Amino acid sequence: MAQPHCVVYDGHTPLQTGPDPAAALAQARSVGGMVWVDLSQPTREQVHELAAVFGLEPLGVASALRTHQRSKLDRYGEHLFVVVQPAQYDDAAETVECHEVDLFVGEDFFIAISPDEAIDLEKLRALLEEHPDVLDRGPYGVLWGTFEYVTRGYRDVLDGIEHDIDEIEEQLFGDDEDVSHRIFALQREVIDLGHATAPLPDMLLRLQRLVENRLHIDDAPAFREVADRARYVDGRVSAFRGTLDNALTVHSSLVEQRRNEAMQRMTETSLEQNEQVKKISSWAAIGFAPTLVAGIYGMNFRFMPELEWPWGYPFAIGLMAAVSAGLYVAFKKNDWL
């Protein structure tokens, strides 16, 4: 079980602090600063202890305990509850991994909870410490820095997905019909990414207005800039979904076209075979007629028509030729030959 990591800031200067959140909060208030608390894979008891120390609303605490949430922004009393989902892209497996981070933001505290410990919260804090002007603005400055970190992190994810979509477009016109499985799988990952990115523009717009009202200013350009990036990210994700939908439609059309062409070739082959069979059958029938006549007259019966007739042999040959010629004319007329 991980213990909370507390850091007290006097402006942008970190102070020596113990692991006790209550003591850290008291220290922060004594110097007019803020306390940053990191907590990974917390137990329910740890979350409730933090709620008691910082006066968190029960509804926000209940939301923090309910994992696998989409990005959202809720206001409970004097503090905010924010869920963000930093993402990573595994190019080999073509999967998007979204990780939940729950944030509680008050006037003098910033609490970051990573339910699955997939996000290095200390790394995030160290990155923000490189920008003292952000820390000087207190918890809302840290919240802005967190959104900046998360939205910029989507760039590599989007580039990885776009690269794979380009490969799919090239693969579409090959003979690999299994490309549909790749499209379906990537489409599912893009939908999951959309769950993380779609709420961000509205969240940041609300946050911009909240900061403007709280600080009594007409504009908060830093939040507006992040909101613009969030809209750009959401637009690219939506475009990816449209591209994959079109790719699936094109692939289905190509597969159907190939099947129709195969059926056409089979039909043409069958018709050609039928023509050959008709020709063979016709010549077999033509050849059978003389054989029949010759077979009958070759039976050596004593009493047969024209057996002792002087013209019997020529008549038999003529009969064979006449029957064969008649069959040839009949088959030719019916286009069998």
Side-chain angles (χ1 to χ4, degrees):
M1 179 178 66
Q3 295 297 320
H5 182 204
C6 305
V7 180
V8 173
Y9 290 94
D10 182 5
H12 60 265
T13 305
L15 304 179
Q16 188 69 29
T17 310
D20 182 17
L25 179 60
Q27 183 182 4
R29 289 175 175 173
S30 67
V31 298
M34 72 167 182
V35 59
W36 181 324
V37 180
D38 293 343
L39 186 59
S40 298
Q41 288 188 315
T43 63
R44 297 179 66 88
E45 290 74 16
Q46 287 178 316
V47 175
H48 284 297
E49 288 174 4
L50 284 179
V53 170
F54 291 92
L56 305 180
E57 290 290 330
L59 288 176
V61 174
S63 296
L65 293 173
R66 188 172 58 250
T67 57
H68 304 293
Q69 300 183 84
R70 298 185 182 182
S71 301
K72 69 176 183 176
L73 168 64
D74 292 325
R75 184 174 181 179
Y76 298 108
E78 294 300 319
H79 69 262
L80 302 178
F81 174 68
V82 182
V83 178
V84 292
Q85 291 184 302
Q88 297 173 333
Y89 188 63
D90 186 341
D91 188 60
E94 295 187 359
T95 56
V96 177
E97 299 176 0
C98 293
H99 305 287
E100 177 183 336
V101 178
D102 300 328
L103 308 173
F104 289 95
V105 184
E107 291 293 334
D108 52 9
F109 65 83
F110 181 87
I111 302 173
I113 300 175
S114 176
D116 57 5
E117 207 176 7
I119 298 300
D120 190 345
L121 297 176
E122 293 188 14
K123 178 181 178 181
L124 173 61
R125 181 175 52 79
L127 289 173
L128 288 176
E129 286 182 354
E130 296 177 1
H131 301 278
D133 55 323
V134 174
L135 292 174
D136 284 338
R137 297 180 181 274
Y140 287 95
V142 174
L143 182 58
W144 170 85
T146 303
F147 274 109
E148 179 80 4
Y149 171 79
V150 171
T151 54
R152 285 189 180 276
Y154 288 133
R155 180 183 303 170
D156 292 338
V157 178
L158 296 176
D159 290 344
I161 293 175
E162 187 173 41
H163 174 73
D164 289 331
I165 289 178
D166 290 340
E167 290 183 349
I168 287 175
E169 290 176 341
E170 295 176 0
Q171 191 178 358
L172 273 177
F173 297 95
D175 296 329
D176 185 7
E177 295 190 4
D178 290 336
V179 68
S180 60
H181 297 291
R182 187 179 183 186
I183 296 174
F184 271 122
L186 191 57
Q187 194 174 45
R188 184 174 59 250
E189 299 301 318
V190 170
I191 290 174
D192 290 341
L193 180 61
H195 293 162
T197 61
L200 290 179
D202 180 64
M203 289 170 56
L204 287 161
L205 179 61
R206 291 169 55 201
L207 189 56
Q208 178 185 352
R209 292 172 179 170
L210 187 149
V211 171
E212 290 170 355
N213 293 334
R214 186 174 294 274
L215 300 181
H216 305 290
I217 58 177
D218 295 331
D219 191 18
F223 281 100
R224 187 177 66 248
E225 180 183 349
V226 180
D228 290 341
R229 186 184 305 117
R231 280 190 288 271
Y232 168 75
V233 169
D234 185 48
R236 284 189 69 184
V237 172
S238 299
F240 289 160
R241 292 186 63 177
T243 301
L244 289 171
D245 286 340
N246 292 336
L248 194 59
T249 301
V250 170
H251 178 259
S252 299
S253 300
L254 290 174
V255 170
E256 186 65 25
Q257 180 181 352
R258 293 189 190 106
R259 289 177 178 174
N260 290 338
E261 291 174 353
M263 290 295 295
Q264 183 178 356
R265 288 194 295 270
M266 290 176 61
T267 301
E268 291 173 352
T269 301
S270 178
L271 291 174
E272 184 177 351
Q273 290 177 344
N274 288 340
E275 291 297 323
Q276 297 297 330
V277 169
K278 286 194 296 184
K279 290 180 181 180
I280 294 173
S281 301
S282 299
W283 286 113
I286 292 172
F288 177 72
T291 303
L292 177 64
V293 175
I296 292 174
Y297 276 88
M299 291 181 182
N300 296 323
F301 289 110
R302 183 175 180 181
F303 301 101
M304 295 182 66
E306 294 86 22
L307 187 62
E308 296 181 358
W309 187 32
W311 295 97
Y313 182 75
F315 175 77
I317 297 297
L319 180 61
M320 296 180 197
V323 173
S324 296
L327 289 174
Y328 178 83
V329 171
F331 289 139
K332 192 72 174 178
K333 185 177 180 179
N334 287 283
D335 200 26
W336 280 46
L337 292 174

